[in-house]
Amino acid sequence: MATKAFDVVIYGATGFTGELVAEYFAQNIPQSSTTWALAARSTAKLQQLVAKLSAKNPELNNLTCLVAHTGDIDSLDGMCQQARVLINCVGPYRFHGEPVVRACLNAGTDYVDVTGEPQYIRTLFAKYADEAKEKNVLIVPCCGVDSIPADLGVYVAKKHLTPDTPATINAYIDLPNGLSKGSWHGVSNGTWTTLINGLASSHSGTGAAKREGKQTSASSHAKSTYRTPKGQEVNRKPHYEKTINKWVLPLAVADPLIVKLTHDLTAKPGISLRYGHFLQCNSFFSFLRMSVAFVFLFLATRFSFLTSLLLKAKGDGYGPTKEERQLDRTDLLVRGRDDAGKQVAVSFSSIEVYELTAILVAQCALAAVKDRKRLRRQSGVLTPAAAFGDVLVERLEQAGVAYHAVQL
C-alpha cells in the first residue's frame, strides 16, 4: 500500500461534532506524533476553523485542509487516498455515509464514524463486510456516544462473568438533568435529525429494509447466536426495575444492535446473550414525562408532514453552546448475571456527551493508527468493541474516561 500523507483526516470538520473532534486533536494530538488534517466541503469554513484552532496553538497555522463533498466522488477518492484513517463526521449517514465508505475501500483507508442510525449500520454489514476483509480495511461505525459506552460496558462486564456461559446483561442510561430546558438546547441539529429520521424510517417496513436486516443477521461475519432460555427473558417493557430501584423505559436506539453484533462477532457459537437497554428515571413523574415525550415522537413520525415540522425544530447547523452542553451528560450502569450465577456491575460516568463523542472517535482512530498490530481483528465491518476491545479500554482510561467493574 502506498504511503499516505496523513495518519488521520477528520471529514466534516466544520460541522458541530467535527469541529469538536478537530479541537480535541488540536489540544491533545501534536502533529509530531500523529499527522492529521481537516476536510470539509467549504474552503472558507475550513480556513475559519484553522484560524480558530491556531489562535490557541500557533503551530497549527499551516494545518492542511482538504475539500471534499459526498456528491463528488473524485473529491472523496482524493481525500481518502491521503489518509490512513478517516473520521467521518458527515451525517445523516443513511444519506451521506456510503459514498465515503466506498471511497475508503477504494483507497485502502480505515474508516470510523459517529453514526447512531440502525438502518445505516445494517447496510454496512450487509454490503461491505466481505470487501472490507478482502482489502484489509477496517470499517467501524458507532464510535461515539452511540454506541461505545454500552458496547464497551457490556464487553467489560462479560470479562468478569464466567467464560463461554450464557448471560443476561442490562444497560441503564441515566440523564442526571432529565428533560430540562438545557437538555433540549444541548441537542445539536445533527443529533435531532438523526433521531427523527431514524424514527420515521422505523415505520416504513419496506421489503428492502426487511431483506437488508435478514442479510445482516445471516451474515457469516455476524452470525446470530441469540437464544432466550424460557423464563429468563429480558423485560423490554416500561417497568419498575427492582435491581436498581428505578423506573425504566426501553430505548429504541442503535446500542442494542451494536451490542448484539459484538456478541455475535466475538462469542462462541451457541452462547446466548440476553440484553436489555433502558433509560432510567429518577422519579415516577420523570418516568411519565419521558414516556409522553417518547410516545409523541414515535406517533408523530408516522406522518410525513409532522416529521417535516420536527426536522425544522432545530435550525440548520445548530449546535449547543458549551454552557448548554454541560447540562447534557449521561451516566451508564451495566448489570450482568450469567447462568452460573456470577454477577457484575460496571459503571461509566461521563462528561458531556458531545465532548465525550470527540474523545471516543479520536481514540478509535488512534487505535487503528498506533495499535493496529495489537487488534484481534484488523479488517472487516466491525463494531467498536469487536474491533478495538482491550486496546480501546486502555486508551480511554489514559484519556480520563474509565469503566469501573464491581463483582456482586
Side-chain angles (χ1 to χ4, degrees):
M1 184 184 298
T3 302
K4 304 293 183 74
F6 305 102
D7 293 321
V8 178
V9 169
I10 304 164
Y11 179 47
T14 58
F16 177 71
T17 301
E19 184 171 328
L20 292 176
V21 177
E23 289 177 355
Y24 180 80
F25 269 79
Q27 295 167 10
N28 298 279
I29 314 299
Q31 292 276 355
S32 58
S33 67
T34 304
T35 56
W36 55 276
L38 306 177
R41 62 184 179 181
S42 170
T43 300
K45 290 184 178 180
L46 282 167
Q47 291 174 343
Q48 291 172 7
L49 178 56
V50 170
K52 181 179 178 180
L53 297 177
S54 60
K56 297 180 179 179
N57 183 356
E59 294 181 2
L60 299 176
N61 273 320
N62 297 318
L63 187 61
T64 301
C65 294
L66 309 173
V67 177
H69 191 283
T70 55
D72 182 348
I73 301 303
D74 289 340
S75 71
L76 293 179
D77 287 340
M79 172 183 67
C80 292
Q81 287 166 6
Q82 299 187 62
R84 290 177 62 189
V85 180
L86 185 82
I87 299 176
N88 184 15
C89 298
V90 178
Y93 292 86
R94 61 191 290 252
F95 301 131
H96 303 293
E98 281 195 75
V100 183
V101 170
R102 168 55 57 193
C104 283
L105 288 169
N106 290 340
T109 296
D110 292 334
Y111 169 98
V112 295
D113 69 31
V114 293
T115 186
E117 303 163 47
Q119 181 179 346
Y120 175 68
I121 299 162
R122 293 188 180 98
T123 296
L124 294 187
F125 274 89
K127 294 178 64 174
Y128 300 108
D130 289 330
E131 185 176 356
K133 290 195 73 172
E134 290 169 2
K135 294 184 174 180
N136 196 33
V137 171
L138 277 171
I139 304 294
V140 189
C142 294
C143 292
V145 169
D146 290 322
S147 299
I148 285 180
D151 191 30
L152 272 191
V154 173
Y155 176 85
V156 171
K158 288 169 69 176
K159 283 182 165 293
H160 290 79
L161 297 175
T162 308
D164 303 327
T165 304
T168 298
I169 298 178
N170 291 319
Y172 303 98
I173 308 298
D174 180 27
L175 303 176
N177 293 299
L179 287 177
S180 66
K181 179 181 178 182
S183 66
W184 162 250
H185 287 294
V187 177
S188 72
N189 179 62
T191 300
W192 180 251
T193 299
T194 295
L195 171 64
I196 298 304
N197 280 326
L199 286 171
S201 66
S202 71
H203 301 307
S204 61
T206 63
K210 290 179 180 179
R211 288 193 298 274
E212 183 182 273
K214 288 180 180 179
Q215 287 177 328
T216 303
S217 62
S219 167
S220 61
H221 303 275
K223 187 174 181 180
S224 176
T225 59
Y226 188 86
R227 299 292 185 273
T228 305
K230 187 175 181 180
Q232 297 188 30
E233 296 86 357
V234 173
N235 183 356
R236 293 188 175 86
K237 297 178 180 179
H239 65 281
Y240 184 80
E241 179 55 52
K242 294 181 179 179
T243 59
I244 61 171
N245 295 318
K246 302 284 186 182
W247 287 92
V248 298
L249 291 166
L251 285 176
V253 292
D255 296 37
L257 173 61
I258 290 295
V259 168
K260 177 183 179 299
L261 288 170
T262 295
H263 180 77
D264 293 339
L265 285 160
T266 59
K268 288 185 177 180
I271 305 300
S272 66
L273 172 66
R274 305 174 293 272
Y275 180 70
H277 194 79
F278 302 94
L279 175 67
Q280 74 174 52
C281 303
N282 294 319
S283 69
F284 184 68
F285 179 65
S286 175
F287 171 78
L288 289 178
R289 286 205 303 166
M290 293 285 191
S291 299
V292 170
F294 288 167
V295 169
F296 169 76
L297 291 177
F298 181 78
L299 294 177
T301 51
R302 285 181 174 272
F303 305 95
S304 59
F305 74 96
L306 288 177
T307 299
S308 297
L309 290 175
L310 287 169
L311 288 172
K312 296 176 182 177
K314 295 277 185 180
D316 187 30
Y318 171 82
T321 66
K322 186 172 184 179
E323 291 72 22
E324 290 168 341
R325 296 201 313 265
Q326 294 307 315
L327 295 172
D328 186 27
R329 55 180 284 262
T330 61
D331 297 333
L332 173 75
L333 173 66
V334 175
R335 291 182 64 102
R337 179 189 179 102
D338 62 38
D339 289 2
K342 205 170 185 179
Q343 298 185 63
V344 67
V346 177
S347 61
F348 177 90
S349 295
S350 77
I351 52 182
E352 63 91 0
V353 296
Y354 290 104
E355 184 179 345
L356 177 62
T357 286
I359 295 172
L360 296 175
V361 73
Q363 292 300 329
C364 286
L366 293 170
V369 169
K370 299 292 188 181
D371 301 308
R372 191 180 182 93
K373 291 183 179 180
R374 294 179 57 204
L375 304 180
R376 291 178 58 189
R377 293 171 177 78
Q378 299 181 16
S379 65
V381 179
L382 300 170
T383 62
F388 305 120
D390 292 339
V391 170
L392 185 55
V393 173
E394 293 171 12
R395 280 194 158 273
L396 291 180
E397 186 171 359
Q398 292 169 4
V401 180
Y403 291 87
H404 304 281
V406 177
Q407 209 77 49
L408 301 177

